[in-house]
Amino acid sequence: MYLKHLIILSIAFISTISVFAQNESVKGEWYTADKEAKIKIYECDNDEICGKVVWLKEPNEEDGSPKKDVNNPDEDKHDNPILGMDLLKGFEKTDDKLWENGTIYDPNNGKTYKCKLTLVEEDLLEVRGFIGFSFLGRTEEWTRAE
């Protein structure tokens, strides 16, 4: 009886560690494809993955004021700074190296797209934004920041 409980506990422990390690692999700071921004990917509500802007190559406008979300369709958000903004929301791990069912916001055009994240290598992340179906979209490669 003791051995049976020990085996069950060991399997549960290994499963928990495995899920935790898999979620950890996408977490961290990533440079966007153009290296104009750095996005911190972290665990948010209900074990979902989210991401926010933590660095901008050019964080300020020519007059020295912080860059703001001027393209947002919600005019009340036009004064929100880009630095610190949440861009990635609601991703769920659906496969070994795949996070889906999330969204990505593009402050350059003020649009939000469905999105999936694929960890190609430990330091290479494919970010695919799309409308409707995944094949109607664009993929960028983000690289892990030092």
Side-chain angles (χ1 to χ4, degrees):
M1 188 70 158
Y2 173 74
L3 182 58
K4 181 178 176 183
H5 288 287
L6 185 60
I7 291 171
I8 291 171
L9 284 174
S10 296
I11 291 171
F13 179 72
I14 290 169
S15 297
T16 301
I17 296 227
S18 175
V19 168
F20 180 74
Q22 289 173 355
N23 272 347
E24 286 294 311
S25 61
V26 76
K27 292 179 191 175
E29 294 186 355
W30 298 86
Y31 286 111
T32 56
D34 58 10
K35 298 230 188 293
E36 293 289 320
K38 193 186 302 182
I39 311 301
K40 179 178 183 178
I41 297 180
Y42 59 96
E43 188 174 319
C44 51
D45 300 330
N46 300 321
D47 297 327
E48 291 179 346
I49 295 296
C50 296
K52 66 180 176 179
V53 180
V54 294
W55 174 85
L56 289 170
K57 185 175 183 179
E58 295 182 23
N60 297 323
E61 299 291 348
E62 289 182 19
D63 66 2
S65 65
K67 287 194 176 175
K68 302 218 166 139
D69 192 15
V70 296
N71 295 316
N72 196 307
D74 182 348
E75 290 184 17
D76 291 339
K77 296 182 178 181
H78 284 192
D79 285 334
N80 291 352
I82 302 286
L83 194 59
M85 174 183 290
D86 292 320
L87 294 183
L88 302 172
K89 294 182 181 174
F91 289 85
E92 302 168 351
K93 188 163 187 61
T94 58
D95 199 2
D96 186 37
K97 296 185 177 203
L98 181 65
W99 289 259
E100 295 181 294
N101 306 318
T103 60
I104 186 168
Y105 174 71
D106 184 351
N108 293 319
N109 63 19
K111 294 183 180 179
T112 300
Y113 301 95
K114 291 180 180 180
C115 188
K116 69 178 183 177
L117 308 172
T118 305
L119 191 64
V120 178
E121 298 172 6
E122 187 59 31
D123 294 332
L124 182 64
L125 183 67
E126 283 186 352
V127 179
R128 180 142 184 95
F130 56 94
I131 298 172
F133 299 100
S134 169
F135 63 86
L136 297 174
R138 184 181 82 200
T139 300
E140 285 191 357
E141 290 185 342
W142 291 5
T143 53
R144 194 178 295 274
E146 307 80 42

